């Protein structure tokens, strides 16, 4: 398994609907908890999860040529 950096820069939808919901909910929960714990790493994780859930694109999935979108 190799990681392709050039493929990582392409914007292709590769996050499915269920995973999108999970990322958004988990990211919002991480952001909320990080406010009370004053945890910067948890804040960054929450921001990344919300961003990848909102844009339905994950650069790591692109680099690994993985997709959770169901093909029709």
């Amino acid at each position: 398994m190799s990681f392709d950096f050039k493929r990582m820069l392409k914007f292709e939808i590769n996050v499915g609907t269920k995973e999108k919901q999970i990322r958004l909910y988990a990211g919002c929960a991480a952001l909320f908890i990080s406010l009370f714990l004053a945890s910067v790493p948890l804040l960054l994780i929450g921001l990344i999860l919300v961003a990848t859930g909102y844009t339905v694109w994950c650069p790591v999935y692109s680099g690994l040529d993985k997709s959770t979108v169901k093909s029709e």
Side-chain angles (χ1 to χ4, degrees):
M1 179 186 284
S2 63
F3 192 82
D4 187 9
F5 289 100
K6 290 182 182 178
R7 188 179 233 340
M8 182 184 79
L9 299 176
K10 290 184 178 179
F11 183 80
E12 299 171 350
I13 295 175
N14 58 10
V15 175
T17 28
K18 286 187 179 181
E19 186 175 357
K20 175 185 175 181
Q21 290 177 348
I22 292 170
R23 285 176 183 248
L24 287 173
Y25 291 142
C28 288
L31 288 173
F32 185 74
I33 293 170
S34 72
L35 293 176
F36 293 106
L37 297 180
S39 173
V40 174
L42 191 58
L43 177 74
L44 293 175
I45 290 170
L47 286 174
I48 291 170
L49 285 173
V50 169
T52 57
Y54 182 72
T55 60
V56 287
W57 175 69
C58 179
V60 175
Y61 278 7
S62 291
L64 294 174
D65 197 23
K66 181 180 174 184
S67 177
T68 58
V69 178
K70 293 182 181 179
S71 59
E72 295 180 20

